[in-house]
Amino acid sequence: MITFVILVVSAYRQYRASSEAALLSDVTSSIATHLVLEELVYVDSVGKPSAYVIDPVKLGSLTKFKRGVGGENYGFRVSLSYRSGMEHVLGPYGTAPPADRPNCTLVVGAALFENNRLLPAKFEVVAWRA
Amino acid sequence: MARVRRNFCHTCRACSEDERGVADILAIAFMFIVLVFAGVLLHYYSVTPLRAATDRQLSLKSGHIYGALDKAQVGSYTLSYLRAAAENLVLAQPTVPGDYLRSRMDNTLEYLRPLEYAVVVSLTRENAQPWVLVCPSGAGQPAAELKQFTHRGVVSVTKAEAAGERVVLVQVAVTFFRLP
């Protein structure tokens, strides 16, 4: 009976840890999606936004690195890498994640508007509970 | 005769203790097996949320790779990767040569894909051989039992014909799966 109780408690703690990690993963996905599809989207000369195309000017001028999701505050850091002859990295923008808290890193594909060209790029988001 | 034998067993102390001992061992063994099964099940289901979140992230990544290929331009051309591939499927003389497109798209997918995953880009239209690119090239098509994350879309190409221009719709699928 004691062994069974220990087993249940251990499984519950593992479930909690797993749920926390899943929540952080979903929040990171949510932040990345919002940035790539809305906040950092390149808008062309006629005012039409292009989903999945990141404007480097908007990326460089990003100042708010906190988001409230589900009543909790999360901090994040972003960077963007692309190849144009050689590998280039824009960023990272935002503070480094705290060492004492778990963080989640997500890298997604995107396009970068650079010198009137649309280049394939990798957009990285690191998020943590603030 | 049977009654005499039963009476004999009830009065035999050694025989009675032997029977109780075997029953106890069987009960303990059964409880142990139940405990092991319960432990395995509890721990298996306790990581279910994390597994589901990982799947959601992979699904998101396949959508973003599709978006990147739909927008990013091939080399010095002004066409996106998917539009150039659709032209290769539909037109006799596409803007971007087929070999050059495959080479550039392979390089791009190699750059965008996570290390342990393969990407298959597949374009199909009626009555035509599909245009397929697998990255890395040795990965082949995903096995049916493998978990796959597919993002689908449509690209339209205008084709000039004797009777005038015709818009051809090409089905595009970007599939993402873990390398075995």
Side-chain angles (χ1 to χ4, degrees):
Chain A
M1 189 64 193
I2 291 168
T3 314
F4 187 73
V5 169
I6 291 170
L7 188 72
V8 169
V9 170
S10 150
Y12 177 70
R13 290 174 75 174
Q14 191 178 337
Y15 176 79
R16 286 292 303 270
S18 168
S19 296
E20 291 277 324
L23 179 66
L24 187 56
S25 163
D26 286 342
V27 168
T28 311
S29 299
S30 162
I31 291 170
T33 304
H34 181 75
L35 290 170
V36 175
L37 298 184
E38 289 183 37
E39 208 169 329
L40 301 178
V41 155
Y42 169 71
V43 180
D44 63 18
S45 52
V46 293
K48 187 184 169 195
S50 294
Y52 299 105
V53 179
I54 292 176
D55 187 341
V57 177
K58 286 184 179 176
L59 181 66
S61 58
L62 198 63
T63 51
K64 195 181 165 198
F65 294 97
K66 279 192 177 174
R67 289 282 184 280
V69 182
E72 296 277 353
N73 284 322
Y74 293 87
F76 67 91
R77 186 176 75 169
V78 295
S79 63
L80 189 122
S81 55
Y82 65 100
R83 276 183 188 165
S84 177
M86 54 185 287
E87 176 109 17
H88 298 269
V89 180
L90 303 178
Y93 301 102
T95 56
D100 59 337
R101 274 177 239 166
N103 61 68
C104 177
T105 302
L106 175 65
V107 181
V108 292
L112 172 72
F113 184 77
E114 178 81 359
N115 295 329
N116 290 322
R117 301 280 313 150
L118 291 168
L119 306 170
K122 288 194 286 192
F123 185 63
E124 183 185 285
V125 178
V126 185
W128 61 90
R129 184 172 276 181
Chain B
M1 182 67 187
R3 183 169 178 78
V4 172
R5 190 184 176 113
R6 193 161 57 242
N7 282 346
F8 173 77
C9 272
H10 276 290
T11 53
C12 170
R13 190 180 174 82
C15 183
S16 174
E17 280 182 354
D18 273 356
E19 282 178 359
R20 198 184 303 151
V22 170
D24 287 348
I25 288 167
L26 282 174
I28 290 167
F30 180 72
M31 283 168 64
F32 180 74
I33 289 167
V34 168
L35 197 67
V36 168
F37 272 107
V40 170
L41 281 176
L42 281 171
H43 282 89
Y44 178 80
Y45 283 109
S46 66
V47 292
T48 302
L50 190 56
R51 230 179 274 131
T54 308
D55 286 354
R56 285 194 292 275
Q57 267 203 0
L58 290 170
S59 183
L60 180 81
K61 284 184 181 195
S62 75
H64 277 264
I65 286 184
Y66 183 100
L69 293 177
D70 191 34
K71 293 289 161 62
Q73 294 166 333
V74 187
S76 56
Y77 293 91
T78 52
L79 281 184
S80 76
Y81 283 91
L82 293 185
R83 188 163 291 278
E87 276 198 6
N88 267 265
L89 184 69
V90 174
L91 303 179
Q93 289 184 320
T95 311
V96 183
D99 291 342
Y100 178 73
L101 173 65
R102 282 184 179 276
S103 164
R104 293 293 300 209
M105 194 186 279
D106 190 55
N107 281 340
T108 300
L109 289 175
E110 193 64 50
Y111 180 60
L112 294 179
R113 75 179 173 92
L115 282 178
E116 295 173 346
Y117 289 85
V119 185
V120 179
V121 179
S122 168
L123 288 88
T124 51
R125 61 175 282 234
E126 284 179 8
N127 307 322
Q129 287 287 320
W131 190 97
V132 180
L133 181 78
V134 183
C135 179
S137 53
Q141 290 289 338
E145 68 271 16
L146 275 179
K147 200 179 274 185
Q148 300 168 30
F149 304 91
T150 303
H151 190 92
R152 296 178 197 281
V154 176
V155 175
S156 61
V157 177
T158 307
K159 188 179 183 183
E161 292 179 339
E165 288 189 340
R166 185 165 68 97
V167 175
V168 179
L169 296 180
V170 176
Q171 309 290 327
V172 184
V174 174
T175 303
F176 206 56
F177 64 97
R178 194 180 185 91
L179 286 167

